[in-house]
Amino acid sequence: MYDKMYGACLQGIDGTIVDVEVDISNGLPHFQIVGLPDSSVKESTERVRSALKNSGAAFPMERITINLAPADVRKEGASFDLAIAVGILCASGQLQLPGLDRCLTIGELSLDGRLRPVRGVLSMVDAAKRRGMTNVLLPSANVEEATLIEGMRIAGIDSITQLLARKDNPLFDGIPVSRGLQNERMPSNVEDVDTEDFVDVCGQFQAKRALTIAAAGLHNLIFIGPPGSGKTMLIRRLPSILPVLSDDESLEVTKIYSAAGLIPDRSKLIRRRPFRNPHHTVSMGGLVGAGSYPKPGEVSLAHRGVLFLDELPEFPRSVLEVLRQPIEDRRVTIGRAKAVITFPTHFMLAASMNPCPCGYWGFPTLTASCTCTPMKVRQYRSKISGPLLDRIDLHVEVPRIDFDSMKQTSGNAASRDLRQSVLQALNRQSARYAGTPIRFNGELNGRMLREHCRLPPEGEKLLSESFEALGLSVRAHDRILKIARTIADLDDSDGIGTSHLAEALQYRCLDRSL
Ligand SMILES: Nc1ncnc2c1ncn2[C@@H]1O[C@H](COP(=O)(O)OP(=O)(O)O)[C@@H](O)[C@H]1O
Ligand SMILES: [Mg+2]
């Protein structure tokens, strides 16, 4: 007796449909799974055996062979349990449910036959849709997440007993087709912000301006300044001015969190840009993704959002060096014995650092000044290598504010106002890049960069002079142009003017001092 079901597994953050073939033939009782299963899949035999027995079904005392195809895809996780169990029930004639053929079946079983939710459902259901399937059977706890994919009929069950009780009632009758994203009210913006507001930050106009530019064009940024100047405080307020995710971005981000098993609310797509703030003791694996079947690391969890590395020089140099590929290629490829996996890593890097180990180099106060030797200062700074710094668009000095500005609380720009200008600049970018894969100025490259960042003649002259005077690299040159483009967008200007370029040049202070 033979039956075939469809299961799914994750490869990176994408789902892959796996055929689950069940064959029951005469012979000594034996239960085995073939087709490159991982040990977690092999353990399925024990769970399925107990679950069926404890649900009142008969476990066939014959030779049962499960084949997972295609055989060249490594299968991992407990998500095949349900497909295997239902396959056995069908092949042994204990279950006949119309609608089970061409149905994606996923779910982990507990020994008593109840179903546990699995991670990565969003990607798996999406894969089923792309294969032309319309029916999905999964644990009730995963239903809401699955309905985020449009055009599917999704049946949720709690246990095998519940499935057996349906006898031969059609499983999918009366289940409406999911409406996907239309179900959701797309927020025009994050008005319901619960994050901290820029209104609490006194003074620091240049730092706020730099954060506005960074948010508008999704540019990488680094703050440098003495301890207590408010660097951490400022960057923590960045989420309050970021634009919400577009529909496509939202789906991408939610898939990553689903694959990592970190979805905050299963019934909703993630709409706000992620803000990740790993501590400097983070391991290389934690940062880029780890495991024999790698799960997304911090750089992927920050996809389409912000990766905040506070006190950058405190991170081990080796950890900082691995950031270069994700920043440049916007994805990270992790090779393991069992799988090679690529995760998207399109984030905006926000970092902070002190100017030297004691923190006062270049920013002396009346009572404290730098006690570090030039050698120590150089050592400290060399941790952040030139190539990494080159990839950061905005370098901004954040001095400590004086007493008067601290007392002056009126006139502090609020997040609401800053966000307004960010959105205005975003609208300009959307119009300009319509029909291209690009959304933000920070993504401009090569030909598109030259096309969209033309300078007036005086601008060219200013740039060439600064290029020589500051000893800028080619990469820094491109970054200055991108920043100038965003500044012009914030100014609601079609072309880049000399004043925009002049402001952009201010944000390369570390090129000079390092
Ligand atoms: N511009 C400012 N406006 C209001 N409070 C500030 C400002 N700068 C610093 N502070 C206060 O100082 C504290 C320390 O700031 P923090 O962001 O931790 O500094 P840093 O990260 O630069 O060492 C903040 O929590 C805040 O209370
Ligand atoms: Mg700090």
Side-chain angles (χ1 to χ4, degrees):
M1 290 158 291
Y2 169 90
D3 211 296
K4 182 167 160 189
M5 307 288 304
Y6 295 92
C9 63
L10 278 180
Q11 284 199 298
I13 61 160
D14 291 318
T16 306
I17 300 296
V18 174
D19 297 357
V20 181
E21 296 180 290
V22 181
D23 179 72
I24 304 180
S25 45
N26 292 334
L28 287 176
H30 184 68
F31 186 7
Q32 77 163 350
I33 301 180
V34 298
L36 218 56
D38 176 58
S39 56
S40 60
V41 178
K42 285 186 188 142
E43 286 162 1
S44 203
T45 55
E46 298 309 316
R47 284 190 298 270
V48 168
R49 195 197 305 269
S50 305
L52 288 186
K53 202 182 69 199
N54 292 330
S55 307
F59 189 81
M61 295 308 281
E62 284 164 289
R63 189 183 174 80
I64 305 175
T65 309
I66 311 285
N67 180 32
L68 304 178
D72 58 349
V73 177
R74 269 273 169 192
K75 288 97 186 167
E76 176 251 345
S79 59
F80 295 109
D81 289 3
L82 186 61
I84 294 173
V86 174
I88 292 177
L89 289 174
C90 292
S92 60
Q94 300 180 71
L95 189 69
Q96 279 165 333
L97 287 181
L100 271 186
D101 48 323
R102 308 251 348 122
C103 163
L104 172 68
T105 309
I106 42 184
E108 175 182 344
L109 282 171
S110 54
L111 297 186
D112 61 358
R114 266 193 286 230
L115 279 158
R116 287 184 211 275
V118 292
R119 61 183 176 91
V121 163
L122 194 61
S123 305
M124 295 182 191
V125 175
D126 194 32
K129 180 181 172 180
R130 277 184 272 118
R131 274 278 288 267
M133 304 162 105
T134 53
N135 295 348
V136 183
L137 178 67
L138 40 58
S140 301
N142 282 129
V143 169
E144 279 186 308
E145 186 183 334
T147 49
L148 294 174
I149 304 288
E150 193 185 343
M152 307 298 280
R153 251 191 261 270
I154 312 218
I157 53 166
D158 295 315
S159 63
I160 295 279
T161 327
Q162 201 184 6
L163 195 64
L164 289 169
R166 298 190 69 121
K167 292 268 163 15
D168 39 45
N169 291 334
L171 196 53
F172 294 95
D173 275 12
I175 293 184
V177 171
S178 59
R179 296 182 55 220
L181 300 182
Q182 292 162 13
N183 258 340
E184 289 209 337
R185 184 181 56 92
M186 173 70 184
S188 63
N189 219 311
V190 264
E191 282 301 347
D192 52 338
V193 271
D194 47 359
T195 51
E196 296 131 314
D197 198 290
F198 273 110
V199 84
D200 310 327
V201 185
C202 312
Q204 300 295 16
F205 299 105
Q206 202 195 11
K208 287 189 194 175
R209 170 74 175 166
L211 284 170
T212 311
I213 297 171
L218 281 204
H219 299 286
N220 300 329
L221 155 144
I222 186 165
F223 277 163
I224 174 161
S229 60
K231 303 181 295 294
T232 308
M233 180 184 189
L234 281 157
I235 296 183
R236 282 201 177 283
R237 282 161 175 71
L238 191 52
S240 67
I241 60 169
L242 288 173
V244 290
L245 295 164
S246 70
D247 280 354
D248 291 344
E249 288 177 324
S250 225
L251 198 59
E252 267 177 56
V253 172
T254 313
K255 274 185 182 178
I256 295 176
Y257 278 74
S258 171
L262 289 176
I263 286 202
D265 177 353
R266 284 179 195 278
S267 63
K268 290 202 189 84
L269 284 186
I270 295 173
R271 283 299 189 184
R272 295 184 57 180
R273 291 185 189 271
F275 184 84
R276 303 295 297 186
N277 182 10
H279 190 250
H280 55 71
T281 51
V282 67
S283 67
M284 204 117 76
L287 197 65
V288 296
S292 49
Y293 293 94
K295 275 194 197 175
E298 291 292 339
V299 289
S300 302
L301 294 173
H303 184 59
R304 303 284 177 197
V306 179
L307 180 70
F308 174 27
L309 302 182
D310 206 2
E311 307 288 347
L312 196 64
E314 299 299 327
F315 285 79
R317 192 175 172 138
S318 55
V319 167
L320 293 181
E321 291 302 305
V322 298
L323 274 178
R324 276 155 58 174
Q325 191 213 2
I327 293 181
E328 199 72 8
D329 303 347
R330 311 228 183 259
R331 64 193 142 83
V332 62
T333 305
I334 306 166
R336 286 286 179 282
K338 292 176 175 173
V340 175
I341 283 179
T342 303
F343 291 121
T345 63
H346 192 159
F347 57 84
M348 155 188 170
L349 177 69
S352 81
M353 69 183 277
N354 291 339
C356 68
C358 81
Y360 295 97
W361 193 80
F363 300 91
T365 66
L366 280 180
T367 50
S369 61
C370 181
T371 54
C372 309
T373 59
M375 171 80 172
K376 263 175 96 182
V377 177
R378 221 171 308 130
Q379 250 175 14
Y380 180 76
R381 294 191 166 204
S382 71
K383 276 206 154 174
I384 306 162
S385 67
L388 178 62
L389 210 56
D390 239 6
R391 289 167 167 82
I392 299 181
D393 308 343
L394 296 147
H395 309 166
V396 187
E397 282 179 344
V398 184
R400 200 171 300 180
I401 54 166
D402 54 29
F403 189 76
D404 289 342
S405 6
M406 193 173 69
K407 287 294 155 201
Q408 195 182 1
T409 43
S410 64
N412 288 342
S415 294
R416 172 185 291 271
D417 304 327
L418 299 182
R419 191 166 60 226
Q420 219 50 53
S421 37
V422 168
L423 288 182
Q424 185 265 110
L426 180 64
N427 287 341
R428 282 192 139 270
Q429 295 171 71
S430 308
R432 185 161 62 236
Y433 304 132
T436 71
I438 285 188
R439 256 194 106 205
F440 292 94
N441 293 331
E443 299 168 62
L444 284 174
N445 242 326
R447 199 162 38 85
M448 285 194 83
L449 180 83
R450 284 192 296 280
E451 183 186 332
H452 293 294
C453 302
R454 291 216 182 87
L455 291 176
E458 320 88 83
E460 284 292 358
K461 187 158 165 285
L462 175 62
L463 187 57
S464 75
E465 282 166 10
S466 324
F467 195 77
E468 299 301 331
L470 297 178
L472 298 176
S473 67
V474 179
R475 211 183 261 128
H477 168 270
D478 288 359
R479 295 198 179 256
I480 289 170
L481 284 181
K482 290 188 224 183
I483 301 277
R485 180 64 265 171
T486 303
I487 294 173
D489 283 333
L490 282 166
D491 198 20
D492 213 3
S493 156
D494 282 330
I496 301 178
T498 316
S499 63
H500 304 138
L501 178 68
E503 187 183 346
L505 282 165
Q506 289 175 27
Y507 299 116
R508 302 298 304 181
C509 67
L510 288 176
D511 287 335
R512 265 166 285 148
S513 60
L514 280 182

